[in-house]
Amino acid sequence: MFLTRKGPVARALRLTRWGMIWEQAARAFWPLATVLALALAALALGVVAAVPGPVLPWLAGAVLLGLIWSAIRGGIRFRRIRMADALDRLDRTLPGRPLAALSDRAALGGEGALWRAHMAQMQARTVGARAVRPDAGLARRDPFALRLAGLVALVTALIFGGAAQMGQGVEALAATMGRPGVSGAVPTGPGWEGWAEPPAYTRRPTIYLNALAEGQALELPKGSEVTFRLYGAGAEVVQDIGPALADDPQAPGFRAEQSGTIEVSGRRFDVAVLPDNAPLIRAGAAPVRRADGRMVQDFEAEDDHGVASAQAVIALDLAAVDRRFGLSIDPEPREPVALTLPLPRGDRRQVAGQLTEDLSRHPWANLPVSLSLRAIDGIEQVGDAQPMHTVLPGRRFFNPLAAALIELRRDLLWSRDNAGRSAEILRAVTWRPDGFVAQPLYADLRGAVDLLEGERLSDQARDDLAEALWQAAVQLEDGGLSDALERMRQAQQKLSEAIRNGASPDEIQRLMDELKAATDAYTEMLAQQQAQQDPSERFTGDQEGQQITGDQIQQMMDEIQRLMNEGRMAEAQELLEQFNRMMENLQVQQGQAGEGQQGSSGNQPMNRLAETLREQQRLSDESFQDMQDQFGQGQSGQPSPNAPGLADRQQQLREELGQQQGLLPGQGSPGGDEARRQLDEAGRAMDEAEQALRDGDTGGALQRQADAIESMREGMRALGDMLNQQQAQQGQQGQQPGQEGQQPGAGDRAGAAGETYDQRPALDPLGRQRDGNGNVIAGGDPLAEGIDPARRARDLLDEIRRRSGQIDRPQDERDYLGRLLERF
């Protein structure tokens, strides 16, 4: 009653029987399958065609005998599987063998109640019947894994083999078998293979010519190597695309230099050689000098296949030099300075970079020079920019004695013929040194006089004297500032090393205290030096120094401390490195910022965050446009070629946001902490969007970019609320007696205090007050009736940002909203 066509028992029985049939077939015919797989792989991979003619018949006979033997062996060993065999195997897996029990009949007493209960129990046990997994035991029967070798060979042939190789093998086999006199032998014809390999710097794949369709155009970059492999007699290659690479008639090769044709065995290829243009490079604005004397030069370069290398060459512009004093004589010859320009990894077709180099000690520092930029592509083509005539940035000295020593150093490096003049100046400088030149420096300078008045200086002696003069000038100019900077650097390096090596919390805290002490000493000495600096130099706008208050330095140190306390050592180390770079290019503002300064210091982070938000929105728009282009071209499942560039821009935005977080005001306040938390969320979303772009998941990247935009908006909202509260508190504290109840802006509305309409702060279209320079005055009137104009403006801006981030809106509307954001 259980051997029915339906039900779990019948299904398990059928599957078990088919599994047993597979076992028998695998055990009997695995040698036959192995020999067939090896024979097919040999044909598809061209092994048969490569076998010498005399050996091929013997090899074919051996394979045929192997096939016959394995087939006969399999036929003898294969045994037919009956249903009873499957029933027995399945029954052995069940407790009590219920299938056999259900086939029994009672010998005595008929089918009483006890027998029926027994049958019901056996029937219940059959419910758990499951098909028995087959096991051919091939590992035991094939200890050398010959079956796996045949399978691997067959898979390799299917992937890398081809019909051409198999046809050549069959032709060779037929021709060999026809030699004894068998009529109708298949004649052999010429066979060939061809490859076109573009230059490595183009990052293009190799083209297999046999796989091209008849009449398909062949486009190759200039310099591509086209090689052939000819099989048999009569094959020949005729071409007019470029010079030959090899003289082997069976393996000719050519370099594609011009468009033309290639003919091989009746097949014609029309070759179009793509020109490789020379790279272009251009310099940005004139190089600028950082506070530490380093030169910073912007540049841009492009090439159709990518820039391989680039360099800047600096030569003395002798015609523009003011030839007076120590520069009046002819200079000693000196080679131009060649600097390697930094290039990014990956795609170099469009490059925008910045060269930063310390040339403050070079003999040409602060002298007219010509700056030439050069770019080189993968085939050594050179692109030169128009030379720029400028002054080589270098460190400037304001201490009179230090400036005199630097000028003497420059004259000696200009020409050793200035030694006599330099000695006279040094004698004048060291006359009556009391109160002017310290004793150790006086002794060194008198020794330099003796050296200059002696025999002509050698190159080594001149360079040593120039280095001594430089060190003396730096010591005079900085006092102990350079030592304080070095102590701060050493403290930072020790703390960074302790974080990397997993030092104990006590050790890290001790090194953190040491870094704070060194930083305080450095900033104090730097402030003293700036107080003594030339006022006209302090207030010029050509310096790149970063201005930061002592409170902001303390906030950054506290942030590093907090990250370490929370165990976020990697983030602490990254922020520590940013702190070190910032301190090396620092200008300190004494004391707390005033009311106007505080307003600007609060608006500056908001403006930078707003710019970063706009850049993130533009990047999201470009990502969406790229995804639409992929769909339009029918390539929705393939990685976009623009994804690496978008991912690099996303990485730059994430790094810029991280730098801005370290300088946000309001640490420890609820609003400041909320802003930092939201910006942390935005940073993580940017990181995930970057990874999605690199993986080719544009849809996932768009989602994470939208999350980043939303988190940045929330962070800016929290930061704006905090700044408004701070300004409201400062406004209340700054009121004079008799001014109670008057808030900023109240007089504007009342028209009191003798203020005319033209004197009142202007309102922008969002209802925000602007000062005379057009800058938005943060905050509003907290006591004003009705809706706060500042809060209303923020709500309007938030709504504009929200709508501009909705990718389903028309492009014209989103462009208009983007212009509103840029304007307001």
Side-chain angles (χ1 to χ4, degrees):
M1 60 182 174
F2 60 87
L3 294 178
T4 61
R5 293 185 178 181
K6 297 182 180 180
V9 177
R11 183 168 57 253
L13 189 60
R14 287 195 301 270
L15 293 176
T16 301
R17 183 169 180 267
W18 281 110
M20 296 177 67
I21 294 174
W22 179 84
E23 288 180 0
Q24 288 294 322
R27 292 171 183 173
F29 294 107
W30 72 265
L32 177 63
T34 302
V35 175
L36 282 174
L38 291 174
L40 291 175
L43 285 172
L45 293 175
V47 176
V48 174
V51 175
V55 181
L56 189 57
W58 296 98
L59 181 60
V63 173
L64 182 61
L65 289 177
L67 291 173
I68 295 174
W69 171 82
S70 57
I72 295 175
R73 174 185 176 277
I76 295 174
R77 296 194 175 189
F78 185 80
R79 183 172 62 86
R80 181 174 176 271
I81 303 299
R82 298 173 299 172
M83 186 61 72
D85 298 330
L87 179 65
D88 181 68
R89 172 174 287 193
L90 180 61
D91 197 20
R92 291 176 184 274
T93 62
L94 299 174
R97 304 195 65 176
L99 298 180
L102 290 173
S103 302
D104 293 342
R105 294 292 181 269
L108 299 174
E111 296 183 356
L114 181 60
W115 179 260
R116 288 194 298 273
H118 171 64
M119 288 294 102
Q121 185 181 19
M122 294 298 103
Q123 181 70 31
R125 290 182 179 180
T126 62
V127 176
R130 298 292 184 271
V132 182
R133 180 177 298 178
D135 182 12
L138 297 181
R140 184 175 65 257
R141 291 176 171 80
D142 181 20
F144 298 104
L146 299 178
R147 68 194 187 285
L148 298 181
L151 179 62
V152 171
L154 181 60
V155 172
T156 304
L158 293 176
I159 297 176
F160 300 103
Q165 292 92 329
M166 184 173 290
Q168 294 168 7
V170 172
E171 290 176 359
L173 185 59
T176 303
M177 301 304 291
R179 284 187 184 133
V182 179
S183 60
V186 180
T188 60
W192 60 275
E193 286 184 291
W195 300 267
E197 183 178 2
Y201 70 90
T202 63
R203 296 180 177 85
R204 292 196 175 192
T206 300
I207 302 175
Y208 185 55
L209 300 183
N210 299 67
L212 296 180
E214 190 72 29
Q216 182 177 352
L218 180 60
E219 293 185 350
L220 298 176
K222 186 177 180 180
S224 300
E225 295 184 358
V226 183
T227 56
F228 290 89
R229 183 69 181 177
L230 306 180
Y231 308 105
E236 185 180 4
V237 178
V238 179
Q239 58 84 32
D240 58 357
I241 64 172
L245 297 175
D247 297 332
D248 188 355
Q250 297 299 317
F254 313 94
R255 177 177 287 107
E257 298 290 346
Q258 60 188 8
S259 300
T261 59
I262 301 176
E263 295 183 2
V264 51
S265 299
R267 182 77 181 274
R268 176 188 174 95
F269 296 95
D270 293 326
V271 181
V273 175
L274 304 177
D276 191 341
N277 299 322
L280 299 176
I281 189 170
R282 51 190 172 273
V288 297
R289 175 178 54 86
R290 285 184 7 185
D292 58 357
R294 292 177 180 267
M295 179 190 72
V296 179
Q297 174 64 56
D298 296 328
F299 68 92
E300 295 179 355
E302 60 182 66
D303 186 67
D304 44 9
H305 295 299
V307 179
S309 62
Q311 66 175 359
V313 178
I314 301 175
L316 179 66
D317 188 2
L318 190 59
V321 175
D322 186 5
R323 304 293 297 275
R324 294 187 302 168
F325 308 118
L327 305 181
S328 59
I329 62 178
D330 293 334
E332 296 181 3
R334 192 176 294 273
E335 294 294 328
V337 180
L339 303 174
T340 301
L341 298 180
L343 298 178
R345 296 181 180 178
D347 190 5
R348 294 182 177 179
R349 288 176 293 182
Q350 295 283 344
V351 176
Q354 189 178 75
L355 172 66
T356 303
E357 191 71 23
D358 186 3
L359 297 177
S360 58
R361 298 193 182 190
H362 196 274
W364 298 339
N366 298 314
L367 290 178
V369 295
S370 62
L371 175 64
S372 303
L373 302 184
R374 170 171 296 183
I376 305 174
D377 65 5
I379 57 174
E380 304 298 328
Q381 294 185 118
V382 178
D384 292 319
Q386 189 71 20
M388 175 189 297
H389 297 279
T390 183
V391 174
L392 183 63
R395 178 171 180 177
R396 301 183 64 182
F397 293 81
F398 302 97
N399 181 282
L401 181 55
L405 296 180
I406 289 299
E407 183 176 351
L408 291 178
R409 175 182 178 274
R410 182 202 64 185
D411 294 346
L412 286 176
L413 294 175
W414 179 268
S415 175
R416 280 168 287 187
D417 293 338
N418 284 321
R421 178 179 180 275
S422 299
E424 293 177 359
I425 295 176
L426 276 181
R427 283 185 176 276
V429 167
T430 55
W431 185 61
R432 293 186 178 181
D434 296 339
F436 182 62
V437 182
Q439 183 59 36
L441 178 59
Y442 172 78
D444 294 339
L445 295 180
R446 296 301 298 181
V449 170
D450 297 337
L451 183 62
L452 291 171
E453 292 179 344
E455 298 180 356
R456 182 177 176 82
L457 296 174
S458 62
D459 292 345
Q460 185 64 39
R462 178 199 60 190
D463 295 340
D464 292 343
L465 180 56
E467 178 63 21
L469 291 173
W470 175 270
Q471 295 296 340
V474 169
Q475 185 65 26
L476 288 170
E477 180 74 14
D478 294 343
L481 183 62
S482 58
D483 296 335
L485 176 60
E486 184 61 28
R487 287 196 299 271
M488 188 181 68
R489 288 175 176 171
Q490 292 177 0
Q492 186 271 339
Q493 291 174 359
K494 289 190 291 185
L495 179 58
S496 179
E497 188 70 22
I499 293 175
R500 285 195 297 267
N501 296 335
S504 65
D506 294 339
E507 293 175 333
I508 291 180
Q509 185 61 48
R510 178 180 60 81
L511 293 174
M512 188 67 188
D513 295 339
E514 181 180 340
L515 176 60
K516 288 182 177 179
T519 302
D520 292 342
Y522 173 67
T523 53
E524 181 179 357
M525 296 187 67
L526 183 60
Q528 293 176 358
Q529 182 207 38
Q530 291 180 352
Q532 300 173 358
Q533 189 175 327
D534 185 0
S536 62
E537 183 68 22
R538 288 205 308 269
F539 294 103
T540 54
D542 60 348
Q543 297 191 18
E544 286 283 321
Q546 180 181 4
Q547 294 191 358
I548 186 171
T549 64
D551 290 341
Q552 291 174 324
I553 295 176
Q554 186 61 41
Q555 288 177 5
M556 202 167 185
M557 299 287 287
D558 294 341
E559 179 67 12
I560 296 173
Q561 182 75 57
R562 182 182 68 84
L563 292 174
M564 291 192 299
N565 293 339
E566 294 177 359
R568 299 157 64 180
M569 295 302 181
E571 300 177 39
Q573 183 172 356
E574 181 179 357
L575 186 58
L576 183 61
E577 293 175 355
Q578 295 178 8
F579 173 78
N580 186 49
R581 291 194 298 269
M582 179 189 70
M583 294 300 295
E584 289 182 355
N585 190 30
L586 180 66
Q587 291 181 7
V588 178
Q589 293 179 343
Q590 292 285 344
Q592 297 287 341
E595 182 176 355
Q597 291 177 337
Q598 189 150 1
S600 62
S601 65
N603 285 335
Q604 184 177 6
M606 289 289 289
N607 294 336
R608 294 184 61 187
L609 286 174
E611 181 61 27
T612 303
L613 177 60
R614 286 193 290 269
E615 290 296 330
Q616 181 62 65
Q617 289 173 331
R618 294 191 189 101
L619 181 60
S620 180
D621 293 343
E622 293 180 18
S623 301
F624 178 73
Q625 184 64 41
D626 185 69
M627 185 176 67
Q628 284 186 324
D629 295 340
Q630 291 292 103
F631 277 108
Q633 299 172 4
Q635 302 175 354
S636 57
Q638 302 178 5
S640 168
N642 300 327
L646 296 174
D648 292 340
R649 288 177 56 192
Q650 185 66 77
Q651 179 184 3
Q652 293 176 359
L653 284 177
R654 177 174 55 83
E655 294 175 351
E656 182 178 353
L657 180 63
Q659 295 175 359
Q660 295 173 13
Q661 287 179 258
L663 299 177
L664 287 182
Q667 183 175 0
S669 64
D673 292 343
E674 176 62 18
R676 284 175 170 81
R677 188 185 68 81
Q678 291 291 345
L679 294 180
D680 284 341
E681 291 291 336
R684 282 190 288 270
M686 288 180 177
D687 190 23
E688 294 173 3
E690 174 195 350
Q691 188 60 43
L693 287 172
R694 297 195 188 280
D695 296 339
D697 183 13
T698 310
L702 284 172
Q703 180 61 41
R704 300 308 294 148
Q705 287 173 344
D707 295 341
I709 291 173
E710 184 63 24
S711 297
M712 289 184 65
R713 289 172 179 164
E714 294 296 330
M716 292 177 64
R717 183 180 292 109
L719 184 60
D721 293 340
M722 181 205 66
L723 293 175
N724 290 336
Q725 293 175 2
Q726 289 182 352
Q727 290 184 351
Q729 294 173 0
Q730 291 176 358
Q732 294 175 0
Q733 294 174 0
Q735 288 180 351
Q736 299 297 328
Q739 293 179 342
E740 297 180 7
Q742 297 182 9
Q743 297 294 332
D748 298 336
R749 289 185 295 273
E755 185 178 4
T756 64
Y757 176 80
D758 293 336
Q759 295 171 332
R760 302 171 191 170
L763 299 180
D764 70 356
L766 297 179
R768 300 172 300 184
Q769 294 182 356
R770 292 182 177 271
D771 58 14
N773 297 325
N775 299 321
V776 174
I777 301 177
D781 184 1
L783 301 181
E785 298 181 358
I787 301 176
D788 181 10
R791 182 173 297 277
R792 176 59 178 164
R794 289 198 302 273
D795 294 339
L796 290 174
L797 281 176
D798 290 342
E799 182 62 18
I800 294 174
R801 292 190 183 102
R802 185 185 67 81
R803 295 189 181 186
S804 67
Q806 294 176 349
I807 57 179
D808 55 344
R809 289 186 175 273
Q811 185 62 40
D812 293 340
E813 180 182 354
R814 295 170 63 200
D815 292 341
Y816 172 73
L817 294 174
R819 291 193 296 271
L820 285 179
L821 289 175
E822 292 178 356
R823 182 174 178 83
F824 304 115

